[in-house]
Amino acid sequence: MTESTPAPVPAEETAPYGAGAAAAVKRVRTHHLQQWKADGHRWGMLTAYDQYMAGAFDAAGIPVLLVGDSAANNVYGYESSLPVTVDELLPLVRAVTRSAHRALVVADLPFGSYQRSPEQAYDTAVRFMKEGRAHAVKLEGGAEMAPQIELLTKGGVPVMAHIGFTPQSEHALGGYRVQGRGETADRLMQDAIAVQEAGAFGVVMEMVPGPIAADITQKLRIPTIGIGAGPECDAQVLVWQDMLGLRTGRAPRFVKRYADLHTIVDGAAKEFAADVAAGTFPGPEHTFDS
Ligand SMILES: Nc1nc(=O)c2c([nH]1)NC[C@@H]1CN(c3ccc(C(=O)N[C@@H](CCC(=O)O)C(=O)O)cc3)CN21
Ligand SMILES: CC(C)C(=O)C(=O)O
Ligand SMILES: [Mg+2]
C-alpha cells in the first residue's frame, strides 16, 4: 500500500478526541454535539454551580456544563430537588457562565417553572438566558413536554430534554426507580422520539436499563446523555459532588468516584484546627511586620 498525503483539515476537525474534543473548539455549540454523535465521539457532561468548578471543568475540556436543579441537594441542602426556585438558581447559572469560556452551559429549569404552559416555560427560559447568560435550558419530561420544547426552540432557546427517572416527578413516579423496564420501554422510546421531533438538541436519560438506552441512542439523531443508562449512550453525565467523592453516604449505583474529596477536606479542616490550637498557625511567613 502506498501512503498518500492527507489533505489539510481545519483545526476544529482535528480535535484531540481523547481528553476532550472541546479543547479544539472555541465555543462548544449544539452542532458540535450532533457532529460528535455522527463521529462516534463520546463526551462527558458535569454539573457545576460555582466559579472554580466551572473554570476547572471548562479548562479540563468538559464540553457541556449543567447547572442542575440538583443544586437543591448539593448546594442548598434541601432534601430533594423540588424546593429550589428560579431565583436561587439564577445566580449560580451566572457564576458558571462567567467562568466557562469554552463549555456550553445548560441551565436546568426547576420544578414548577415550566410545566404549566409553554408560555410559562418560555418566560422562565428567557430569564435564564438574559439574567443567567445560559446557552441552553434543560427540562424534564417526554411527549407531554413537546409543546414547551417547540415554543422554546422556535423562540431561540436550545432545549435539552430529560426522560426516564425525572427527579422532579419523584412523588408521581413513586420514588427513585428505574424507568422503561418491561412494557414501559415502548413509551420511553416514544418520549425520546417526541422530544427530538419537538426540537430538543439532546436528551438526558436517567436510570434506564442499558439495552433500552442503547436502542434509543441508535434510533435518535440527537445525542443521548446517560446517567444510570449504560455505556451505549452518546454521552454521560454525573453530579460533581458524586464524581469527586465530596458527598458522603451511599451513592446511587450509577456513580463512579474519581476522587475522595471528602477525606481531603476532612483531613485539612482537622489539621487547620489543630494548628490553631497548638499555635503553629499562623507562622512568621503569614504574619506582617510592624
Ligand atoms: N448528588 C446527587 N446526585 C444525583 O445524581 C442527583 C442528585 N444529587 N439530585 C437530583 C437527582 C436525584 N438523583 C438520584 C438520587 C438518588 C438515586 C438513588 O438512590 N438510586 C438508587 C436506587 C435505585 C433503585 O431503587 O432502583 C441506586 O442505587 O441507584 C437516584 C437518582 C439524580 N440526581
Ligand atoms: C443529574 C442531572 C442530569 C440533573 O438533572 C441535575 O443535576 O439536576
Ligand atoms: Mg436536574
Side-chain angles (χ1 to χ4, degrees):
M1 249 182 42
T2 51
E3 298 228 335
S4 60
T5 314
V9 185
E12 288 208 359
E13 288 169 37
T14 56
Y17 281 10
V25 170
K26 236 171 117 181
R27 170 66 77 180
V28 176
R29 306 286 185 179
T30 57
H31 67 80
H32 292 117
L33 311 183
Q34 316 293 322
Q35 186 60 50
W36 295 341
K37 173 160 184 148
D39 294 349
H41 168 64
R42 295 192 175 121
W43 46 276
M45 172 164 100
L46 288 170
T47 65
Y49 316 99
D50 67 15
Q51 175 193 189
Y52 286 119
M53 280 301 163
F57 295 152
D58 185 67
I62 298 294
V64 185
L65 298 180
L66 172 67
V67 187
D69 62 337
S70 55
N73 327 115
N74 301 302
V75 174
Y76 288 108
Y78 294 126
E79 68 287 1
S80 79
S81 48
L82 272 71
V84 82
T85 65
V86 171
D87 290 324
E88 286 171 319
L89 289 178
L90 267 172
L92 311 186
V93 173
R94 188 70 191 98
V96 169
T97 55
R98 261 190 215 112
S99 24
H101 303 295
R102 206 155 38 197
L104 180 95
V105 178
V106 181
D108 237 352
L109 303 186
F111 179 61
S113 74
Y114 63 92
Q115 288 93 341
R116 191 175 70 234
S117 67
E119 292 72 20
Q120 186 203 20
Y122 192 75
D123 290 347
T124 304
V126 164
R127 286 197 68 193
F128 277 107
M129 295 190 76
K130 277 186 188 282
E131 298 170 47
R133 315 282 206 276
H135 309 133
V137 302
K138 181 164 81 56
L139 53 77
E140 294 184 7
E144 76 282 7
M145 282 298 137
Q148 272 83 342
I149 298 170
E150 263 169 43
L151 183 67
L152 265 58
T153 305
K154 272 192 223 143
V157 180
V159 179
M160 181 179 282
H162 182 160
I163 63 172
F165 175 67
T166 45
Q168 293 175 18
S169 305
E170 173 196 335
H171 301 294
L173 294 172
Y176 292 70
R177 301 160 69 161
V178 173
Q179 306 290 312
R181 279 202 177 121
E183 67 267 27
T184 60
D186 280 351
R187 218 206 64 212
L188 201 65
M189 174 67 85
Q190 282 157 22
D191 280 337
I193 293 168
V195 299
Q196 169 177 284
E197 294 317 307
F201 71 85
V203 57
V204 168
M205 295 198 284
E206 180 164 352
M207 290 213 284
V208 170
I212 309 295
D215 270 2
I216 293 173
T217 298
Q218 213 172 34
K219 178 94 176 187
L220 294 192
R221 75 182 171 270
I222 60 171
T224 59
I225 305 103
I227 174 163
E232 301 298 324
C233 295
D234 299 302
Q236 298 290 331
V237 57
L238 284 175
V239 167
W240 83 254
Q241 287 89 347
D242 296 343
M243 195 272 291
L244 292 175
L246 186 60
R247 186 170 73 139
T248 54
R250 203 184 68 86
R253 176 179 166 140
F254 53 73
V255 169
K256 179 173 174 182
R257 284 194 172 141
Y258 287 85
D260 184 6
L261 282 199
H262 183 264
T263 300
I264 290 173
V265 170
D266 181 63
K270 286 172 174 158
E271 201 178 319
F272 166 69
D275 276 0
V276 173
T280 53
F281 175 81
E285 71 274 33
H286 309 118
T287 304
F288 300 99
D289 297 326
S290 57

